[in-house]
């Protein structure tokens, strides 16, 4: 089943030289981990912010599991979609447990279920519940805070998870650990992930498919091996050269 579909979507912001999205069409099958790669301003963040209606398109249509997202209340739509950003956005005055339980409380889960699922989520992101759930965000490292942001997004088991450069501000060692954890979580969950990054190695490592963007257009959308072995154009080939990946499907 197609989880996310864009049909001829266009978006241009005021005073911008070119559209953020320029007649973009693509589909993401349920269970895929699609990474969206490109330099700053290419339209990748705009793309995922349209899926949860933080931005509305100027023209075109977006579908979630076959339903036009315009036909759904934006708040209700967002409750069904997980969203993780680089800045994390944890509530500083709330404990880790309370941060993770934000959506379940809105959904009126009972306390026993919330407590059990909070503990399960903490273990899923490799943090021991008894050690961490009563702490506050300021008492955690950047990598630990990012794990909490991920746990909060996953607890309601969204069918689609949007991740906007979630590991961009984390050091290389912790970034690799979190990449491996996220990949393992995805493989177990079989949910649909869309992950924005400007790091080509991260995009190729995590994605079952990769979207490469430039100036609001999709230049290539294919599995990592295909992009490495058969870049669609000179832009993609040069991108691979910058990471010294051309011709190496094992990279």
């Amino acid at each position: 089943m197609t989880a996310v579909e864009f049909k001829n979507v266009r978006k241009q912001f005021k005073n911008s030289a070119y559209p953020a999205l320029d007649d973009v069409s693509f589909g993401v099958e349920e269970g895929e981990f699609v990474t969206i790669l490109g330099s700053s301003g290419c339209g990748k963040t705009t793309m995922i912010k349209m899926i949860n209606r933080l931005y509305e398109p100027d023209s075109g249509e977006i579908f979630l599991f076959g339903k036009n997202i315009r036909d759904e209340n934006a708040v209700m739509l967002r409750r069904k979609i997980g969203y993780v950003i680089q800045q994390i956005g944890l509530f500083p005055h709330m404990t880790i447990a309370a941060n993770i339980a934000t959506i379940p409380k809105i959904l009126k889960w009972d306390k026993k279920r919330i407590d059990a699922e909070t503990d399960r989520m903490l273990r899923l992101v490799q943090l021991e519940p008894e050690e961490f759930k009563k702490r506050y965000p300021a008492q955690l490292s950047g990598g630990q805070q990012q794990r909490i942001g991920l746990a909060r997004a996953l607890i309601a088991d969204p069918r689609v998870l949007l991740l906007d450069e979630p590991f961009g501000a984390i050091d290389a060692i912790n970034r690799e650990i979190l990449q491996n954890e996220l990949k393992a979580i995805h493989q177990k969950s079989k949910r649909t992930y869309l992950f924005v990054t400007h790091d080509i190695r991260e995009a190729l490592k995590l994605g079952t498919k990769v979207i490469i963007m430039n100036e609001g257009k999709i230049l290539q959308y294919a599995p990592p091996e295909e992009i490495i072995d058969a870049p669609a154009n000179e832009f993609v080939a040069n991108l691979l050269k910058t990471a010294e990946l051309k011709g190496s499907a094992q990279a």
Side-chain angles (χ1 to χ4, degrees):
M1 184 179 186
T2 303
V4 177
E5 185 177 11
F6 277 54
K7 286 186 179 179
N8 307 109
V9 174
R10 190 178 192 281
K11 178 72 176 180
Q12 183 153 5
F13 294 103
K14 197 175 178 181
N15 302 322
S16 177
Y18 55 84
L21 292 182
D22 191 359
D23 195 35
V24 166
S25 297
F26 70 98
V28 177
E29 290 304 301
E30 189 168 15
E32 294 273 18
F33 192 140
V34 173
T35 50
I36 305 164
L37 176 69
S39 56
S40 294
C42 73
K44 56 190 188 297
T45 291
T46 300
M47 180 186 284
I48 69 163
K49 283 186 172 181
M50 286 190 157
I51 297 168
N52 61 4
R53 292 188 63 188
L54 291 173
Y55 293 148
E56 300 285 358
D58 296 335
S59 59
E61 294 177 303
I62 301 167
F63 297 86
L64 194 68
F65 298 102
K67 294 180 181 177
N68 194 320
I69 63 171
R70 272 192 178 149
D71 297 336
E72 187 153 7
N73 175 279
V75 174
M76 298 305 293
L77 177 76
R78 288 174 200 138
R79 286 181 189 171
K80 295 192 287 189
I81 298 172
Y83 188 43
V84 185
I85 57 175
Q86 184 174 318
Q87 293 78 18
I88 308 162
L90 299 180
F91 301 112
H93 62 288
M94 288 164 56
T95 64
I96 297 311
N99 266 282
I100 295 171
T102 303
I103 296 296
K105 283 177 180 172
I106 291 169
L107 297 175
K108 294 184 166 48
W109 290 10
D110 65 68
K111 186 178 184 305
K112 190 175 178 182
R113 183 184 177 192
I114 289 175
D115 290 347
E117 285 299 301
T118 298
D119 286 2
R120 190 172 75 84
M121 285 298 119
L122 280 164
R123 291 191 186 98
L124 189 68
V125 297
Q126 307 293 316
L127 294 173
E128 185 52 45
E130 292 310 313
E131 185 180 346
F132 285 95
K133 65 184 180 182
K134 292 179 182 176
R135 292 191 192 180
Y136 289 84
Q139 296 171 305
L140 272 57
S141 69
Q144 288 168 341
Q145 287 187 33
Q146 196 65 68
R147 284 186 166 104
I148 300 306
L150 187 58
R152 183 174 64 182
L154 290 169
I155 191 167
D157 194 25
R159 291 174 76 185
V160 173
L161 184 65
L162 310 176
L163 303 107
D164 191 359
E165 301 211 40
F167 308 147
I170 294 170
D171 64 87
I173 293 170
N174 277 305
R175 185 170 183 150
E176 186 167 355
I177 292 166
L178 285 165
Q179 286 170 355
N180 293 339
E181 284 178 14
L182 184 64
K183 196 167 185 176
I185 290 167
H186 173 260
Q187 286 168 349
K188 285 178 197 166
S189 75
K190 304 298 182 191
R191 295 311 199 185
T192 306
Y193 288 13
L194 285 90
F195 183 107
V196 166
T197 181
H198 63 265
D199 182 325
I200 186 166
R201 288 184 177 274
E202 184 168 72
L204 295 170
K205 174 181 178 176
L206 292 177
T208 55
K209 286 187 179 173
V210 181
I211 292 175
I212 296 179
M213 296 187 70
N214 188 45
E215 294 188 349
K217 291 183 180 290
I218 293 176
L219 303 185
Q220 191 164 3
Y221 178 30
E225 301 80 10
E226 186 179 323
I227 287 171
I228 292 167
D229 291 340
N233 51 43
E234 191 176 354
F235 181 94
V236 178
N238 288 336
L239 197 62
L240 293 169
K241 281 178 190 171
T242 64
E244 299 177 341
L245 291 170
K246 182 73 176 78
S248 173
Q250 301 304 311

